[in-house]
Amino acid sequence: MTDTSTSTRRSPLLVPLFALLGVGGLTAYSKADDAHVAAEWAHCGDLPLTWQIYLSAYGALACGVLALALFWWLARRARRRDTWVGDSWPGKLAIAALVVDVPLVALQFFVVWYLYQPSPGGPISCV
């Protein structure tokens, strides 16, 4: 017996939603980092990273990992019912989002790692 409720059929749409939220988090990180660099140059010195930088980097990573975990859960649920996730168009969209999300999660891990690295150009000085 298959469950054909609307929530079951539409739940694969959450995978591309969280993948897009991860892309939005990377975009927010880029904007916050640009603003931070501009503030450092205006201050003529190093400034601590802002909470917006940390929030956007970790939020993007959380959304990317959540998209992967949600797809894994959907695939397990479909397998228990002897079906496949890609049987419907929301499932096919989830698979496409998964293909895009895997390299994005690698980039998001790199961004979080990069937060804790020293500045490659050294301290900013306006002298």
Side-chain angles (χ1 to χ4, degrees):
M1 184 165 149
T2 60
D3 185 12
T4 58
S5 68
T6 304
S7 64
T8 301
R9 287 180 295 175
R10 303 285 186 218
S11 57
L13 292 176
L14 292 173
V15 174
L17 173 70
F18 283 114
L20 283 174
L21 286 174
V23 171
L26 284 177
T27 304
Y29 168 79
S30 175
K31 299 288 184 186
D33 188 50
D34 290 346
H36 180 258
V37 169
E40 283 184 327
W41 279 106
H43 183 264
C44 286
D46 289 333
L47 295 173
L49 294 177
T50 62
W51 64 269
Q52 291 95 343
I53 291 176
Y54 285 106
L55 182 67
S56 58
Y58 278 103
L61 179 60
C63 287
V65 170
L66 187 59
L68 294 176
L70 183 60
F71 184 83
W72 175 77
W73 178 75
L74 288 169
R76 281 188 47 146
R77 187 176 70 174
R79 188 171 188 172
R80 273 188 255 131
R81 294 182 177 153
D82 292 329
T83 60
W84 183 55
V85 176
D87 285 342
S88 62
W89 71 268
K92 289 178 178 133
L93 186 62
I95 292 170
L98 181 75
V99 168
V100 173
D101 192 49
V102 169
L104 278 176
V105 168
L107 177 63
Q108 292 159 350
F109 270 117
F110 175 75
V111 165
V112 169
W113 172 81
Y114 186 74
L115 288 176
Y116 298 99
Q117 302 308 308
S119 177
I124 292 176
S125 175
C126 296
V127 178

